[in-house]
Amino acid sequence: MAEPFDPTSHPHRRVNPLTGEHVIVAPHRSKRPWLGQTEPIPTAMLLEYDPACYLCPGNTRAGGLLNDKYENTMVFENDFAAVLPPPGPTAPPAPHPLLTTEPVSGGCDVICFHPRHDLTLPRLPLPDIERIIDTWCTVYKKRGSQEGIEHVQIFENKGAMMGCSNPHPHGQAWSTSKVPHIPATELESLRKYASSTPPSDAPRGPLGRSCLLCDYVHFEVTLAGNEGRVVVQNDHFVAVVPWWAIWPFEILLLPYKRHIPSILHLTPEEKTSFARILSQVTIRYDNLFSCSFAYSMGIHQRPIPATSDTIPEDEDEENIAHLHLHFSPPLLRSATVRKFLAGFELMSEPQRDLTPEDAAQRLRSLSDVHYLAQ
Ligand SMILES: [Zn+2]
Ligand SMILES: [Zn+2]
Ligand SMILES: [Zn+2]
C-alpha cells in the first residue's frame, strides 16, 4: 500500500495565486548530504562616510552633480535612467506581427535612506525608517500624479550578490507609462478573485468584494497558527514565508487587519507598525547568517494614487490593490552559498528543497536584536 501523502517529506507542487506560477517543493532533498563548499563569512566593515561613494552627502555623483549635505533621506533623478520623460519618439511600424514595439516613458529616482554610508535598514532606528516610508509616499504621490505615468514601482536592491554595486543604503522608484508585467498580472488575479469568490470572514476590498490577499493573510494569521508560515506579526502588519515561495527565505509582508490599497492609505499607527516590521524582518535576515543579507524588495500597491476625489474610497475599483511587499533573497545555506535558478528551474519551473514552513520556523526563532548590536 502506498504511504499516505506527507507534505513535509513528499515532493509536491504549489501554485502562486497572484501570478499563476507553480513551484515544485522537494523536502526530501534537504536531507541529502551537502557537498558544496562553505566559505568564511565576510567581515569587512563599512566606513560611516566614504569619500569615494557617489551617494554620501556632499560627494560628486557619476553624472557630475553634487549631492546635498542631506541629513535624513535624499531623492534624485537617476543619472542613467532606464526610461526617459515623455513624449519620446513614436514607435516605428513593426517589421513583422511577431516583432512589435510600444513606446514606454517615465522617470527613475534614487532614494538614499540615510546619510550614513554604513547604516542599512536593519541598523536604522524606527524614526529613520518612518522617514523612509514618508519619502516613498512623497515619490509615489509626485510621480503618480505626473501626466502619462500609470505605475510607480518602489524597490530596493541590496547587496553585491543582487548586482547592487554601492553598499550605501538606498532604494529606487521607477515610474512608467505602462503597468509592468508582474504587478499587472497580480492586479488581474485580484480582480478575477474579487468577481468570482464569495466574501468570507476576512476583511474585504472595495465594494465589499473578496480580496485574494485579505483572504490569504486572514488564513495565515488566524487559522494556520504558529506552526505555519508566519515569521513575525505586530498590531497591523505580518510577514510570512508564502505558501508558494520560490526563494529559500522569501517573505511576503502585508497589512492583515484591513484592506489597505497603498502606502498613502496608512494611518499614523499603521505607518509605525510598518516601520517596525521592516526593521524586524531585515534584522532577522541579517541575523540568519550573521551578514548583511542581500535581497530584492518591491512594494506592490495601487499603481498610482487616485487622481480624482469624486469616487468614494470604498467604491473606487482601483483600490482592489492590497499593499504588500515581496522580499526575494538569494542566500540558501550561509553568507556566501546562494540559490541559482538554473537548469530545470529555468527551463521548466522553480523548485525548492527547504519548505516554506521550515524557512518560517528558522526566521521566527531568530532574535529581534541585530547581531552587530548583541
Ligand atoms: Zn555612501
Ligand atoms: Zn485586501
Ligand atoms: Zn505582489
Side-chain angles (χ1 to χ4, degrees), residues 18 186 300 324 326:
L18 286 168
E186 294 191 356
H300 284 163
H324 63 280
H326 299 280

Side-chain angles (χ1 to χ4, degrees), residues 299-310:
I299 302 179
H300 284 163
Q301 58 183 338
R302 200 189 143 107
I304 51 171
T307 45
S308 117
D309 50 15
T310 54

Side-chain angles (χ1 to χ4, degrees), residues 211 213-214 259 322:
C211 166
L213 284 171
C214 281
H259 179 85
H322 183 126

Side-chain angles (χ1 to χ4, degrees), residues 7-125:
T8 64
S9 61
H10 293 141
H12 58 279
R13 286 170 96 204
R14 300 186 184 189
V15 67
N16 179 340
L18 286 168
T19 60
E21 289 170 338
H22 287 79
V23 53
I24 294 179
V25 183
H28 62 297
R29 277 167 53 99
S30 60
K31 298 181 178 84
R32 74 194 195 280
W34 170 245
L35 301 173
Q37 83 260 49
T38 49
E39 296 167 49
I41 294 167
T43 51
M45 294 300 291
L46 294 169
L47 303 164
E48 288 184 20
Y49 164 77
D50 181 349
C53 167
Y54 63 87
L55 299 177
C56 274
N59 287 2
T60 307
R61 293 207 299 274
L65 293 168
L66 207 62
N67 289 332
D68 291 341
K69 291 204 166 159
Y70 62 101
E71 291 177 356
N72 296 307
T73 60
M74 176 180 71
V75 180
F76 65 89
E77 188 145 358
N78 196 319
D79 300 317
F80 302 98
V83 282
L84 300 170
T90 49
H96 185 279
L98 291 174
L99 310 181
T100 62
T101 53
E102 59 176 322
V104 62
S105 58
C108 298
D109 298 298
V110 177
I111 302 161
C112 290
F113 291 168
H114 197 273
R116 279 269 298 266
H117 185 77
D118 58 331
L119 291 187
T120 51
L121 242 168
R123 298 185 62 201
L124 286 176

Side-chain angles (χ1 to χ4, degrees), residues 131-335:
R131 270 193 281 272
I132 297 169
I133 297 170
D134 288 337
T135 308
W136 286 338
C137 288
T138 306
V139 171
Y140 173 63
K141 208 168 170 180
K142 180 180 156 224
R143 285 295 192 176
S145 62
Q146 280 177 4
E147 183 77 23
I149 295 298
E150 292 295 331
H151 186 263
V152 180
Q153 178 62 61
I154 297 167
F155 63 98
E156 181 193 2
N157 210 20
K158 178 169 176 268
M161 200 171 269
M162 295 307 285
C164 177
S165 50
N166 190 331
H168 194 112
H170 70 285
Q172 301 184 55
W174 288 21
S175 307
T176 50
S177 55
K178 307 279 182 217
V179 182
H181 180 71
I182 295 171
T185 304
E186 294 191 356
L187 286 165
E188 190 51 32
S189 301
L190 287 164
R191 279 189 207 101
K192 276 190 189 149
Y193 189 87
S195 61
S196 66
T197 313
S200 69
D201 291 342
R204 294 172 196 172
L207 300 161
R209 291 191 191 139
S210 297
C211 166
L212 191 161
L213 284 171
C214 281
D215 279 1
Y216 173 64
V217 76
H218 179 72
F219 173 79
E220 293 291 21
V221 168
T222 64
L223 304 170
N226 266 353
E227 296 309 307
R229 289 159 292 278
V230 171
V231 173
V232 57
Q233 178 181 350
N234 65 27
D235 287 346
H236 305 96
F237 278 81
V238 64
V240 300
V241 179
W243 173 257
W244 51 83
I246 289 172
W247 298 98
F249 295 98
E250 184 173 328
I251 276 183
L252 178 70
L253 188 162
L254 68 174
Y256 67 94
K257 283 216 171 131
R258 69 180 186 103
H259 179 85
I260 301 179
S262 81
I263 48 176
L264 294 182
H265 291 84
L266 295 169
T267 64
E269 294 76 30
E270 287 166 343
K271 197 174 73 182
T272 303
S273 290
F274 184 26
R276 183 170 300 120
I277 205 159
L278 281 169
S279 174
Q280 289 169 312
V281 162
T282 54
I283 285 174
R284 279 180 160 77
Y285 270 164
D286 276 12
N287 286 350
L288 181 63
F289 298 128
S290 302
C291 67
S292 182
F293 199 77
Y295 58 74
S296 274
M297 175 279 279
I299 302 179
H300 284 163
Q301 58 183 338
R302 200 189 143 107
I304 51 171
T307 45
S308 117
D309 50 15
T310 54
I311 310 172
E313 287 282 326
D314 189 47
E315 291 172 25
D316 188 342
E317 303 245 0
E318 294 299 306
N319 282 342
I320 188 72
H322 183 126
L323 170 66
H324 63 280
L325 281 71
H326 299 280
F327 283 84
S328 302
L331 287 177
L332 180 60
R333 284 170 216 278
S334 74

